[in-house]
Amino acid sequence: MLSILKPCPSMLATTASCLLVAASLLLSSGVSAHAGEADVIQVRSTQASDGTWRFDVTVRHADDGWAHYADSFEILAPDKSVLGTRVLLHPHVTEQPFTRSIDGVVIPRDIRQVIVRAHDKVHGYGGEEQTVELPLD
């Protein structure tokens, strides 16, 4: 895509007009510039009778099709080790934000909080995360 961008003449064009030309070319190329990183906006945690955990995770992302959508979320220990991953198998273009769950997450007894983060196909991780306090037994 970068090969279609031509430099603006330095003395004739302003920075603003260069940016407008670049944005126009980007939008006309079909590449999405508006779907940012996936944000975790809410988490509900529940401990099952067997001691494992269920997390209901609400994610917001401007999914715009198969090439750019929120494709998973993770439950992390404070040291960033992965305790559980939920893979999302399709875009949620018309369902935003959306909530999905993961069951059976084993969390060591000494961990009292976890971090929940989402991933998207273009940006990876980097959106809003949520820290969840786990109640004492």
Side-chain angles (χ1 to χ4, degrees):
M1 179 184 80
L2 291 178
S3 63
I4 64 172
L5 298 176
K6 298 187 185 201
C8 297
S10 61
M11 299 302 284
L12 300 175
T14 65
T15 302
S17 63
C18 288
L19 291 173
L20 287 174
V21 169
S24 174
L25 288 170
L26 181 64
L27 291 174
S28 66
S29 71
V31 176
S32 174
H34 67 278
E37 297 166 331
D39 295 321
V40 175
I41 60 172
Q42 185 175 3
V43 179
R44 189 179 67 149
S45 61
T46 310
Q47 190 171 26
S49 60
D50 66 358
T52 64
W53 289 84
R54 172 188 172 103
F55 294 89
D56 301 306
V57 178
T58 303
V59 175
R60 179 180 49 227
H61 182 263
D63 289 7
D64 63 9
W66 290 98
H68 194 184
Y69 72 96
D71 61 354
S72 66
F73 63 82
E74 292 182 331
I75 312 301
L76 304 173
D79 68 0
K80 304 292 184 171
S81 60
V82 178
L83 300 170
T85 302
R86 168 70 192 263
V87 175
L88 304 169
L89 299 175
H90 60 85
H92 296 88
V93 175
T94 60
E95 181 188 358
Q96 289 295 325
F98 62 93
T99 303
R100 295 295 178 271
S101 302
I102 181 172
D103 291 304
V105 179
V106 176
I107 299 177
R109 295 179 71 76
D110 62 327
I111 293 179
R112 296 298 352 96
Q113 67 176 218
V114 295
I115 302 159
V116 183
R117 68 179 182 178
H119 181 275
D120 80 75
K121 291 181 97 41
V122 171
H123 300 103
Y125 298 105
E128 184 178 333
E129 299 177 348
Q130 296 290 322
T131 300
V132 178
E133 297 291 330
L134 302 175
L136 296 171
D137 299 49

